[in-house]
Amino acid sequence: MKLSNIKDSIKNFWKEFRQVKSGIIGLILFLIFLFAVVFEPLIISFKETNNVWRDITYWEDLPRNVPPAWTNLFTSRKSAESMEIDDPEITEQQNGNLRILTSEFTYDYQSYNPPQDIIFRADGTGSPMIIIEIVRPDDEKITLFQKPVNLGSGNDVRVSMDSNSKDAVYNFLSKKVPRSELQKINKNLLAPTDYLFSVASEDFIKNREPLNGIYKIKVTSIMQNEDANISDPYIVLPGSVYGLLGTDSYKRDLWSGVVAGVKWALLIGLLTAVVSVSIGVLYGVISAYLGGWKDSLMMRIFEVFVSTPLLPVLIVLAAVFKPSIWTLIFMMCAFFWTGSVKTVRSMALQIKEETFIEASKAAGASNLRIIFKHMVPLLIPYSFASMALFIPGAIVYEASISLLGLGDATIVTWGQILSDAYNSGAILSGIWWWVVPPGLCIALMGMAFAFIGFAADKILHPKLRTR
Amino acid sequence: MQNDKKRDVIFKIENLQKWFPVKRTMSEVFSGEKRFVKAVDGVSFDIMRGEIFGLVGESGCGKTTTGKLIMKLLDPTGGKIIFNGKDSTHLDKNDLKDYRERVQMIFQDPYASMNPRFRIKDVLEEVLIIHKKGNDKKERLEMVEKALSEVRLQPPHEYMERFPHMLSGGQRQRAATARSLILNPLMIVADEPVSMIDLSTRAEILHMMKTVQRELGLTYLYITHDLSTARYFTDKIAVMYLGKIVEMGTPDEVIDNPLHPYTQALISAVCEPIAGKVNRIKEVPIKGEVPNATDIPEGCRFHTRCPYTGEVCEKGEDPLIQDDGGEHFVACFKYKNLK
Amino acid sequence: MDKRKILEVKNLKVFYKTSMGDVRAVDNIDFFLRSGETLGLVGESGCGKTTTGTALLKMPSPPGYIAGGKIILDGEDIIPISETEIRKRIRWEKISMVFQGAMNCLTPVYTIGKLMMETLQTHRPMDKEKAKKIIVKYLNYVGLPDHIMSRYPHELSGGMKQRVVIATSLFLEPKVVICDEPTTALDVVVQAQIINLLKELKEKLNLSFIFITHDLATEAEVSDRIQVMYAGKIAEIGTNQQIYGEQGPMHPYTKRLLAATPRLHEEVEELAFIPGTPPDLIDPPRGCRFHLRCNEVMEKCKTEVPPLELVEEDHYVACWRCTKNAE
C-alpha cells in the first residue's frame, strides 16, 4: 500500500516536473555529473588522479602548460601530440664482457610546434652506460646523452632530454649559428626540442622552421656486468597539446582533475545543503513552536551566526585545524543553516496556529510529536527546494576557500584547481584551459541544482506559478 | 444524598478567569499600569454527568476561550477547574495526559482540525498512539473502524483510506467526532461543531452526536452562538456576555422565559422561518455592539446597552448570579422588576 | 403585482471550466425581480446562488463564464454589452453588490472616508467637497455618524463595517442591489439591525434587493419572494406567505430544508435533515437533480427534468409531483 503510494506520488511529481523546461535541463546536467562520478575510472586517463594530484613525479611525463588537443582543429600550425613510442628495433651485441643493447625508435614529426621533450624510459638494474643519439631527416646526428646510470637492484630509467641535453644542443647550435646570435640565448633556459626539430640554418634562433620528417632516436646501453640490464625501453614525447583539457604548469592532466572533482563537488554540495537545511528547518520549527522567551533566545543566537562573516572565520579555522574536506563541510554547515531559518520560522508560526495542531495538542500529543509529525512534514517541500539552492553556494564557498589556499590537500576539487591556476598566474599568461573548465563546472552544477530546485518549488507551490 | 449529588457533578469550574495582556503605551509602562483583555472574567458552572451543557453567546463573549481553558490549551489566570472530583486547574505531565484522555474536543472546522496530509485512519490512529492504546497496528485499526461505525460512517474501511478533503463537510465532522470518541472519554467539548455545516445536514450531525451521547453516557459542553440549535440539543444553557455568565437554566426556561435583558434581546433578534414578518421593522431593544473586552464597563457590564439601566447598575460591583428558583440563574439587579 | 420587472433572467447558464470538465454551477435558470421588492436566493453551499449573483453583474469569478442566456436589466439585455460599457453604465450604476465578507476586505491603511472617496471618484470624477457631501449623505442613510470618515477599518465593529460596505454599494443610486450573505458573520443582534437597515433603505430609496443567504430563517424576515435553488437549478419560487405560511412550500426540497431549520420557540424532539450530499455538478444526475435525496421520488423524476412551472399566482415549482399534468 505504502510503496505504491510513493510510486504514485513520484509518478505524479514527474508528470508535473516534465513540464518545467528548466527543471529538465537541470536534471540532464545532474545526470551528466552523476554519470561522471559513477564512470569516473572509465572516462579519465589517469585513474589515480585523486590520490596523486599533488605528486609531481606522477605527472612528469606530461607536457607543461599545453592547451587541449582539439585546439589543433582550429589552426593550420598544428602542434605535436603527445605520444609514446614503444616498438623500437632492438639489436643486441656481445663484445667480450660488454653487452651492448641498441634500441632504435622512429618518430615521424609532421607538425609545426615540436613536442616539449623526449624522455627515455626503461626498467633496469645495475649501472649501465646509456647513450642517446638522434638522427634528423637532414642526417645531422646529435648525441644527446652519454652517462652511466646507477640503478641498483632494480629501478626505472628516466632520462629527459629537456633537462639533460641542454649542453649537447647548445653545442649543436654553436656549430650552426654565428657567435653573435648564440649570445642571445641562455644555455640554462634553452628548450632542446625547439632546435632538435627545426631546420638548421643561420637564422636558427630568430626564425625557427619546423623540420618535418622521420627522426631516428637511438639508445645504446652498454652493460659491463652480469647484473646490469635494461628492458622494456620506450620513449615518451610530451607534445605541445594534450588530452581533452590540456595540462597545467605542474604538468597535470586537467581533464582527469576536473572529472575527479565532480564527486567532491557533489559531496560538498549535497552534504552541506542537506545538513544545513535540516538543521535550519528544525531550528526554525522548534523556535516558532516553543515561542516566548525561548523563541527570542533562539533568534538572538541565530542572529549571532547570521551576522558573523563566514569567510574570515573559515580562514582562521582552516589555519588552526588541518584543513580537511570534512572540517570544511562541518564549518560550512555550522554557518549555512541560518539561511532557511527565517522563512521556516515564519511558515511554522503560521502552521502552529492551524486548528489541527491545536487538535492534536488537545488529544495529548507531545511537543516532539507535533513538531515531527505535523509541522516538519509540511515544510518538506520548502526544504527540498532550498536545499537545491544551497548546493551551488556550498560549492562556490569551498572553491573560494581553496582559492585562498586553505582547502583539503589530499583531494582534488574544482576550487583547488582554480586556486592553483590563480597562483600560477594562469589568467595573465592566457592559460584559459586551466581556468574555464573548472569555473564552468561550478557554474553548471550550481545551475543544475538551482534549476531542479526552482522546478520543484514551482510544482510544490502552485500558487507562486502565476507570479 | 449529599454524596450522590456530588458524584453527579462531573465537571465544575469556579470563578475561572483568563486575562490576556495587551500592548501598552509608553506612559502606561512607566506608570506600571497593565491592561488586559478580560476574555473570561469569573465564570462558574457545574456540568452533571450525562448532561449536555450549552454555552451560548455572541462572538467575543469568551465562550471559545472558556472551551480552550477547559481543554487546557490555555492556562487560566485564576479560578479552579474540577474534573471528576479532582482539582485539575494545574496538572503535571502525566495527569495532563490522563485528563486529555478523558476530556476530548470537537472543533468548529473539521477540515482545519485534521492534518491535510493524514488519511482519516491516520488522524484517528494518532490519538491511540499518543495514549498508547492497542498493542499493534492491527488492533488500533480495529478500534478506528469501530469508532467510525459509531458515528455512522459506514462502511468504515471505505472512509479510512481517504484524505480529509475527500469527504463532505458532514462526513468530516463525523470523522472528527469519531476521533474524540475513540479513547472512550467522559466529556467532550464541542466548539460550534455544526456552524460550518450545511443546513440540510446540520441536524443529522447533531442527531448523531446526541445518539452517541446517549449510547455511551457522555457529557457534552456545547459551545455555540446559535440559540436555536442549543435549544434542541442541550439540557442546560448558560448565556455569556463579555466574559461572564448572565443567565443559566434549562433551555425551555431560558428561551421561553428569559430573565436577563440581554438574553431577552438576543432571543427577540433571532430570525425565525415564519411568514408575515417581512413588512415589519423588527424591535431590537438593545443598541450598538459588544464593547471592547479591554475596557469592561463599571458596574453591570451590560448597562451601556441595557434599555432598563438605572443608577444601581452603573456603579460598583457586578451583579452576582442568583437563583430565581427552578434552577434558573440570572445576574441582574433589576430582573424582578422587569417581569 | 403591477410593479414592473426591473430585472429578468432567461435561460442563464454559468459554468466553471475545470480540467475534469465544465461545472454546471448555474444551469438554465429563469427568474425575475420586480421593482421595489426583495428576492431571496436560498440554498445549500454550492447550489449556485453566489454564482448567480456575480453573473448578474456580468462578472463571474474565474474560471467561471456565462455560457448562455439573457439578463434583461431595466429593459436592456446586458449579455451582449462590451465590458467597458458595462463598467461605464451598468455595473454599480444600475446594479451593485455587497460581496460576502466584503466588510473584512477594507484596506486597513486607509480611512473609511478615503476608501469611499476612491470608489466614488473612479465612477464619477468630481471635486472633493462634493464627493464628501455625497459620502456623508449615504453614511447617514445607513445610520453612521459623519466622523466615521476619519476612522480606520479596524476601529469599527463588524456591524459598522457592513454598514460602510452597504453605503458604498448605494453611491451611484443603483436600481438593484445584490447582497451576498450580508449578515452571516455578524452576531444575532447586529444581524437584526442590518436586516432592519435594508428594509428601511428599500422604502426610502425605492431599491430592489436580491438577498443571498443559506438561512431560510433570515429570508423569512427579509424577502418578499423566496427563490430556492438546488444544484444549479431553481427548485421553487414563492412569496413569503407561500413558503412560510400555513400551507407551506410545495417542492420536497424546500419542505425538508424548512423542516431542518431550527425554530427557537418551538419544542422539537427531533430536527429533520436531508440525508446524502448535493450531486456532482460536472456530471449532474439525469432527471430531477434532487431525486437522489428526495423522499417523494417517482419513476419520472429519474429520467426527465421537471420544468419550472407556475402552479398558482407568483408560485413556481420545478417538481413532477406539483405540475398540473401530474395530477
Short mmCIF file of all heavy atoms in Angstrom, two decimals, chain B residues 278-328:
data_model
loop_
_atom_site.label_atom_id
_atom_site.label_comp_id
_atom_site.label_asym_id
_atom_site.label_seq_id
_atom_site.Cartn_x
_atom_site.Cartn_y
_atom_site.Cartn_z
N VAL B 278 -42.01 40.08 7.03
CA VAL B 278 -41.18 40.79 6.08
C VAL B 278 -41.47 42.29 6.04
O VAL B 278 -40.59 43.09 5.79
CB VAL B 278 -41.28 40.13 4.69
CG1 VAL B 278 -42.67 40.21 4.14
CG2 VAL B 278 -40.28 40.72 3.74
N ASN B 279 -42.68 42.66 6.31
CA ASN B 279 -43.00 44.08 6.17
C ASN B 279 -42.87 44.85 7.48
O ASN B 279 -43.16 46.04 7.53
CB ASN B 279 -44.41 44.24 5.62
CG ASN B 279 -44.45 43.76 4.18
OD1 ASN B 279 -43.53 44.03 3.41
ND2 ASN B 279 -45.48 43.01 3.82
N ARG B 280 -42.49 44.14 8.52
CA ARG B 280 -42.33 44.82 9.80
C ARG B 280 -40.87 45.11 10.06
O ARG B 280 -40.00 44.33 9.72
CB ARG B 280 -42.86 43.90 10.92
CG ARG B 280 -44.32 44.00 11.18
CD ARG B 280 -44.57 43.47 12.57
NE ARG B 280 -43.74 42.29 12.80
CZ ARG B 280 -44.23 41.09 13.05
NH1 ARG B 280 -45.53 40.91 13.10
NH2 ARG B 280 -43.44 40.07 13.27
N ILE B 281 -40.64 46.26 10.69
CA ILE B 281 -39.30 46.52 11.19
C ILE B 281 -39.23 45.87 12.57
O ILE B 281 -40.09 46.10 13.41
CB ILE B 281 -39.03 48.03 11.29
CG1 ILE B 281 -39.06 48.68 9.91
CG2 ILE B 281 -37.74 48.30 12.02
CD1 ILE B 281 -37.86 48.43 9.06
N LYS B 282 -38.24 45.05 12.76
CA LYS B 282 -38.16 44.28 14.00
C LYS B 282 -37.72 45.15 15.17
O LYS B 282 -36.87 46.03 15.02
CB LYS B 282 -37.12 43.18 13.78
CG LYS B 282 -37.22 42.05 14.75
CD LYS B 282 -36.06 41.13 14.49
CE LYS B 282 -36.50 39.69 14.47
NZ LYS B 282 -35.43 38.82 14.02
N GLU B 283 -38.32 44.90 16.32
CA GLU B 283 -37.89 45.61 17.52
C GLU B 283 -36.56 45.02 18.00
O GLU B 283 -36.50 43.84 18.31
CB GLU B 283 -38.93 45.41 18.63
CG GLU B 283 -40.18 46.23 18.49
CD GLU B 283 -40.02 47.60 19.11
OE1 GLU B 283 -39.36 47.71 20.16
OE2 GLU B 283 -40.56 48.58 18.53
N VAL B 284 -35.53 45.82 18.00
CA VAL B 284 -34.29 45.34 18.61
C VAL B 284 -34.04 46.21 19.82
O VAL B 284 -33.65 47.37 19.69
CB VAL B 284 -33.10 45.42 17.64
CG1 VAL B 284 -31.88 44.76 18.24
CG2 VAL B 284 -33.45 44.76 16.32
N PRO B 285 -34.31 45.68 21.01
CA PRO B 285 -34.29 46.54 22.18
C PRO B 285 -32.91 47.08 22.53
O PRO B 285 -32.81 48.13 23.14
CB PRO B 285 -34.84 45.65 23.30
CG PRO B 285 -34.66 44.27 22.81
CD PRO B 285 -34.73 44.32 21.32
N ILE B 286 -31.84 46.35 22.15
CA ILE B 286 -30.53 46.89 22.55
C ILE B 286 -29.81 47.47 21.35
O ILE B 286 -29.96 47.02 20.23
CB ILE B 286 -29.65 45.83 23.27
CG1 ILE B 286 -29.41 44.63 22.37
CG2 ILE B 286 -30.28 45.44 24.59
CD1 ILE B 286 -28.45 43.64 22.98
N LYS B 287 -29.05 48.50 21.66
CA LYS B 287 -28.36 49.22 20.59
C LYS B 287 -26.88 48.82 20.58
O LYS B 287 -26.37 48.25 21.53
CB LYS B 287 -28.47 50.72 20.83
CG LYS B 287 -29.85 51.26 20.54
CD LYS B 287 -29.88 52.76 20.61
CE LYS B 287 -29.89 53.34 21.96
NZ LYS B 287 -30.86 53.29 22.95
N GLY B 288 -26.21 49.18 19.51
CA GLY B 288 -24.76 49.04 19.45
C GLY B 288 -24.30 47.60 19.46
O GLY B 288 -25.06 46.67 19.21
N GLU B 289 -23.01 47.49 19.72
CA GLU B 289 -22.42 46.16 19.73
C GLU B 289 -21.65 45.93 21.02
O GLU B 289 -21.51 46.85 21.84
CB GLU B 289 -21.50 46.01 18.51
CG GLU B 289 -22.33 45.97 17.24
CD GLU B 289 -21.48 45.92 15.98
OE1 GLU B 289 -20.53 45.12 15.96
OE2 GLU B 289 -21.77 46.68 15.05
N VAL B 290 -21.17 44.72 21.19
CA VAL B 290 -20.45 44.35 22.41
C VAL B 290 -19.23 45.27 22.59
O VAL B 290 -18.46 45.44 21.66
CB VAL B 290 -19.98 42.89 22.34
CG1 VAL B 290 -19.36 42.46 23.65
CG2 VAL B 290 -21.13 41.98 21.96
N PRO B 291 -19.06 45.88 23.78
CA PRO B 291 -17.89 46.73 23.98
C PRO B 291 -16.61 45.91 23.96
O PRO B 291 -16.63 44.69 24.08
CB PRO B 291 -18.11 47.36 25.36
CG PRO B 291 -19.41 46.90 25.85
CD PRO B 291 -19.92 45.82 24.96
N ASN B 292 -15.50 46.64 23.81
CA ASN B 292 -14.18 46.03 23.81
C ASN B 292 -13.88 45.37 25.15
O ASN B 292 -14.11 45.96 26.20
CB ASN B 292 -13.17 47.15 23.54
CG ASN B 292 -11.86 46.58 23.08
OD1 ASN B 292 -11.47 45.51 23.51
ND2 ASN B 292 -11.19 47.30 22.22
N ALA B 293 -13.32 44.16 25.11
CA ALA B 293 -13.06 43.44 26.37
C ALA B 293 -11.89 44.00 27.15
O ALA B 293 -11.62 43.57 28.27
CB ALA B 293 -12.84 41.96 26.08
N THR B 294 -11.15 44.97 26.57
CA THR B 294 -10.09 45.61 27.36
C THR B 294 -10.70 46.63 28.32
O THR B 294 -10.07 47.05 29.28
CB THR B 294 -9.12 46.41 26.48
OG1 THR B 294 -9.88 47.14 25.52
CG2 THR B 294 -8.13 45.51 25.80
N ASP B 295 -11.89 47.02 28.01
CA ASP B 295 -12.45 48.19 28.68
C ASP B 295 -13.86 47.84 29.13
O ASP B 295 -14.84 48.36 28.61
CB ASP B 295 -12.46 49.33 27.66
CG ASP B 295 -12.58 50.66 28.34
OD1 ASP B 295 -12.37 50.70 29.56
OD2 ASP B 295 -12.89 51.64 27.64
N ILE B 296 -13.93 46.93 30.08
CA ILE B 296 -15.24 46.45 30.52
C ILE B 296 -15.93 47.51 31.37
O ILE B 296 -15.31 48.07 32.29
CB ILE B 296 -15.08 45.11 31.28
CG1 ILE B 296 -14.65 44.04 30.28
CG2 ILE B 296 -16.35 44.73 32.00
CD1 ILE B 296 -14.32 42.72 30.88
N PRO B 297 -17.18 47.84 31.06
CA PRO B 297 -17.85 48.92 31.81
C PRO B 297 -17.94 48.60 33.30
O PRO B 297 -18.03 47.43 33.70
CB PRO B 297 -19.24 48.97 31.19
CG PRO B 297 -19.14 48.27 29.89
CD PRO B 297 -18.03 47.28 30.02
N GLU B 298 -17.89 49.64 34.07
CA GLU B 298 -18.01 49.50 35.52
C GLU B 298 -19.44 49.08 35.86
O GLU B 298 -20.37 49.30 35.09
CB GLU B 298 -17.70 50.85 36.16
CG GLU B 298 -17.16 50.76 37.57
CD GLU B 298 -16.98 52.15 38.17
OE1 GLU B 298 -16.66 53.08 37.40
OE2 GLU B 298 -17.18 52.28 39.37
N GLY B 299 -19.59 48.49 37.00
CA GLY B 299 -20.92 48.06 37.42
C GLY B 299 -21.35 46.86 36.61
O GLY B 299 -20.54 46.01 36.26
N CYS B 300 -22.63 46.80 36.30
CA CYS B 300 -23.10 45.71 35.45
C CYS B 300 -22.52 45.92 34.06
O CYS B 300 -22.63 46.99 33.49
CB CYS B 300 -24.62 45.72 35.38
SG CYS B 300 -25.25 44.53 34.20
N ARG B 301 -21.86 44.86 33.54
CA ARG B 301 -21.14 45.08 32.27
C ARG B 301 -22.08 45.26 31.09
O ARG B 301 -21.63 45.60 29.99
CB ARG B 301 -20.14 43.97 32.03
CG ARG B 301 -20.69 42.58 32.14
CD ARG B 301 -19.55 41.59 32.17
NE ARG B 301 -18.75 41.73 33.39
CZ ARG B 301 -17.49 41.33 33.49
NH1 ARG B 301 -16.89 40.79 32.48
NH2 ARG B 301 -16.84 41.48 34.61
N PHE B 302 -23.35 45.04 31.32
CA PHE B 302 -24.29 45.20 30.21
C PHE B 302 -24.97 46.57 30.23
O PHE B 302 -25.70 46.92 29.30
CB PHE B 302 -25.34 44.07 30.29
CG PHE B 302 -26.31 44.05 29.15
CD1 PHE B 302 -25.86 43.90 27.84
CD2 PHE B 302 -27.67 44.18 29.37
CE1 PHE B 302 -26.75 43.89 26.78
CE2 PHE B 302 -28.57 44.17 28.31
CZ PHE B 302 -28.10 44.02 27.01
N HIS B 303 -24.71 47.37 31.26
CA HIS B 303 -25.55 48.56 31.44
C HIS B 303 -25.45 49.55 30.29
O HIS B 303 -26.39 50.28 30.01
CB HIS B 303 -25.24 49.25 32.79
CG HIS B 303 -24.09 50.21 32.75
ND1 HIS B 303 -22.85 49.91 33.27
CD2 HIS B 303 -23.98 51.46 32.24
CE1 HIS B 303 -22.04 50.93 33.08
NE2 HIS B 303 -22.69 51.88 32.46
N THR B 304 -24.30 49.55 29.55
CA THR B 304 -24.18 50.51 28.45
C THR B 304 -25.17 50.25 27.33
O THR B 304 -25.48 51.13 26.54
CB THR B 304 -22.76 50.46 27.85
OG1 THR B 304 -22.41 49.09 27.62
CG2 THR B 304 -21.74 51.09 28.77
N ARG B 305 -25.63 49.03 27.22
CA ARG B 305 -26.56 48.70 26.14
C ARG B 305 -27.95 48.38 26.66
O ARG B 305 -28.88 48.15 25.87
CB ARG B 305 -26.04 47.49 25.36
CG ARG B 305 -24.71 47.74 24.68
CD ARG B 305 -24.17 46.46 24.10
NE ARG B 305 -24.84 46.09 22.86
CZ ARG B 305 -24.78 44.88 22.30
NH1 ARG B 305 -24.08 43.94 22.91
NH2 ARG B 305 -25.39 44.62 21.19
N CYS B 306 -28.09 48.34 27.97
CA CYS B 306 -29.34 47.85 28.56
C CYS B 306 -30.43 48.92 28.49
O CYS B 306 -30.20 50.08 28.83
CB CYS B 306 -29.09 47.47 30.02
SG CYS B 306 -30.51 46.74 30.82
N PRO B 307 -31.62 48.56 28.04
CA PRO B 307 -32.70 49.55 27.97
C PRO B 307 -33.26 49.88 29.36
O PRO B 307 -33.97 50.88 29.51
CB PRO B 307 -33.75 48.86 27.10
CG PRO B 307 -33.47 47.40 27.20
CD PRO B 307 -32.01 47.26 27.48
N TYR B 308 -32.96 49.05 30.35
CA TYR B 308 -33.55 49.25 31.68
C TYR B 308 -32.53 49.76 32.68
O TYR B 308 -32.74 49.69 33.88
CB TYR B 308 -34.14 47.94 32.21
CG TYR B 308 -35.00 47.23 31.21
CD1 TYR B 308 -34.58 46.06 30.61
CD2 TYR B 308 -36.26 47.74 30.88
CE1 TYR B 308 -35.36 45.40 29.69
CE2 TYR B 308 -37.05 47.09 29.94
CZ TYR B 308 -36.60 45.93 29.35
OH TYR B 308 -37.37 45.28 28.43
N THR B 309 -31.39 50.25 32.19
CA THR B 309 -30.31 50.58 33.12
C THR B 309 -30.73 51.67 34.11
O THR B 309 -31.53 52.56 33.80
CB THR B 309 -29.05 50.99 32.34
OG1 THR B 309 -28.03 51.28 33.27
CG2 THR B 309 -29.28 52.22 31.47
N GLY B 310 -30.21 51.54 35.29
CA GLY B 310 -30.51 52.53 36.33
C GLY B 310 -29.27 52.81 37.13
O GLY B 310 -28.19 52.28 36.83
N GLU B 311 -29.41 53.62 38.18
CA GLU B 311 -28.24 54.02 38.96
C GLU B 311 -27.52 52.83 39.56
O GLU B 311 -26.30 52.76 39.54
CB GLU B 311 -28.69 54.94 40.09
CG GLU B 311 -27.79 56.14 40.26
CD GLU B 311 -28.39 57.11 41.23
OE1 GLU B 311 -29.44 57.70 40.93
OE2 GLU B 311 -27.81 57.22 42.32
N VAL B 312 -28.30 51.89 40.04
CA VAL B 312 -27.73 50.73 40.72
C VAL B 312 -26.84 49.92 39.78
O VAL B 312 -25.90 49.25 40.19
CB VAL B 312 -28.85 49.87 41.33
CG1 VAL B 312 -29.78 49.34 40.25
CG2 VAL B 312 -28.28 48.71 42.14
N CYS B 313 -27.14 49.99 38.48
CA CYS B 313 -26.40 49.17 37.53
C CYS B 313 -25.08 49.80 37.13
O CYS B 313 -24.16 49.11 36.70
CB CYS B 313 -27.22 48.98 36.25
SG CYS B 313 -28.86 48.36 36.55
N GLU B 314 -24.98 51.13 37.21
CA GLU B 314 -23.85 51.81 36.58
C GLU B 314 -22.62 51.91 37.47
O GLU B 314 -21.55 52.26 37.01
CB GLU B 314 -24.28 53.19 36.11
CG GLU B 314 -25.11 53.09 34.84
CD GLU B 314 -25.94 54.32 34.57
OE1 GLU B 314 -25.55 55.40 35.03
OE2 GLU B 314 -26.99 54.18 33.91
N LYS B 315 -22.80 51.71 38.78
CA LYS B 315 -21.66 51.86 39.67
C LYS B 315 -21.44 50.60 40.49
O LYS B 315 -22.33 49.78 40.63
CB LYS B 315 -21.91 53.05 40.60
CG LYS B 315 -21.85 54.38 39.86
CD LYS B 315 -21.15 55.45 40.70
CE LYS B 315 -20.85 56.67 39.87
NZ LYS B 315 -22.08 57.39 39.43
N GLY B 316 -20.28 50.49 41.02
CA GLY B 316 -19.98 49.42 41.95
C GLY B 316 -19.75 48.08 41.31
O GLY B 316 -19.19 47.97 40.23
N GLU B 317 -20.21 47.06 42.00
CA GLU B 317 -19.87 45.68 41.63
C GLU B 317 -20.75 45.15 40.52
O GLU B 317 -21.83 45.68 40.25
CB GLU B 317 -20.02 44.78 42.88
CG GLU B 317 -19.02 45.06 43.95
CD GLU B 317 -17.61 44.70 43.53
OE1 GLU B 317 -17.40 43.57 43.08
OE2 GLU B 317 -16.72 45.58 43.61
N ASP B 318 -20.26 44.11 39.92
CA ASP B 318 -21.07 43.31 39.01
C ASP B 318 -22.24 42.70 39.77
O ASP B 318 -22.08 42.34 40.93
CB ASP B 318 -20.22 42.13 38.51
CG ASP B 318 -19.62 42.40 37.17
OD1 ASP B 318 -20.13 43.29 36.47
OD2 ASP B 318 -18.65 41.72 36.82
N PRO B 319 -23.35 42.56 39.12
CA PRO B 319 -24.42 41.82 39.79
C PRO B 319 -24.03 40.34 39.93
O PRO B 319 -23.45 39.77 39.01
CB PRO B 319 -25.62 41.99 38.87
CG PRO B 319 -25.04 42.33 37.55
CD PRO B 319 -23.75 43.04 37.80
N LEU B 320 -24.29 39.76 41.11
CA LEU B 320 -23.97 38.35 41.29
C LEU B 320 -25.04 37.49 40.64
O LEU B 320 -26.18 37.92 40.47
CB LEU B 320 -23.90 38.03 42.78
CG LEU B 320 -22.73 38.66 43.51
CD1 LEU B 320 -22.87 38.45 45.00
CD2 LEU B 320 -21.42 38.09 42.99
N ILE B 321 -24.64 36.28 40.29
CA ILE B 321 -25.63 35.40 39.69
C ILE B 321 -26.47 34.80 40.81
O ILE B 321 -25.95 34.38 41.84
CB ILE B 321 -24.94 34.35 38.80
CG1 ILE B 321 -25.97 33.67 37.91
CG2 ILE B 321 -24.17 33.32 39.60
CD1 ILE B 321 -25.40 33.23 36.58
N GLN B 322 -27.78 34.86 40.67
CA GLN B 322 -28.63 34.36 41.75
C GLN B 322 -29.74 33.47 41.22
O GLN B 322 -30.14 33.56 40.06
CB GLN B 322 -29.22 35.54 42.51
CG GLN B 322 -29.78 36.61 41.61
CD GLN B 322 -30.22 37.82 42.39
OE1 GLN B 322 -30.99 37.71 43.33
NE2 GLN B 322 -29.72 38.98 42.02
N ASP B 323 -30.21 32.63 42.10
CA ASP B 323 -31.22 31.64 41.72
C ASP B 323 -32.60 32.26 41.76
O ASP B 323 -33.00 32.86 42.75
CB ASP B 323 -31.14 30.46 42.70
CG ASP B 323 -31.80 29.23 42.11
OD1 ASP B 323 -32.53 29.38 41.11
OD2 ASP B 323 -31.56 28.14 42.65
N ASP B 324 -33.29 32.11 40.66
CA ASP B 324 -34.66 32.60 40.62
C ASP B 324 -35.62 31.47 40.98
O ASP B 324 -36.83 31.59 40.90
CB ASP B 324 -34.96 33.12 39.21
CG ASP B 324 -36.35 33.71 39.10
OD1 ASP B 324 -36.68 34.59 39.90
OD2 ASP B 324 -37.12 33.26 38.22
N GLY B 325 -35.07 30.36 41.33
CA GLY B 325 -35.89 29.19 41.60
C GLY B 325 -36.01 28.34 40.36
O GLY B 325 -35.91 28.83 39.23
N GLY B 326 -36.14 27.07 40.57
CA GLY B 326 -36.27 26.14 39.44
C GLY B 326 -34.99 26.08 38.62
O GLY B 326 -35.06 25.97 37.40
N GLU B 327 -33.86 26.19 39.30
CA GLU B 327 -32.57 26.10 38.63
C GLU B 327 -32.43 27.11 37.53
O GLU B 327 -31.82 26.85 36.48
CB GLU B 327 -32.34 24.68 38.09
CG GLU B 327 -32.29 23.65 39.18
CD GLU B 327 -31.25 22.58 38.89
OE1 GLU B 327 -30.72 22.55 37.77
OE2 GLU B 327 -30.98 21.81 39.80
N HIS B 328 -32.97 28.25 37.69
CA HIS B 328 -32.84 29.33 36.70
C HIS B 328 -32.06 30.45 37.37
O HIS B 328 -32.51 31.05 38.33
CB HIS B 328 -34.24 29.79 36.28
CG HIS B 328 -34.22 30.67 35.06
ND1 HIS B 328 -35.34 30.90 34.32
CD2 HIS B 328 -33.24 31.36 34.47
CE1 HIS B 328 -35.04 31.70 33.31
NE2 HIS B 328 -33.75 32.00 33.39
#
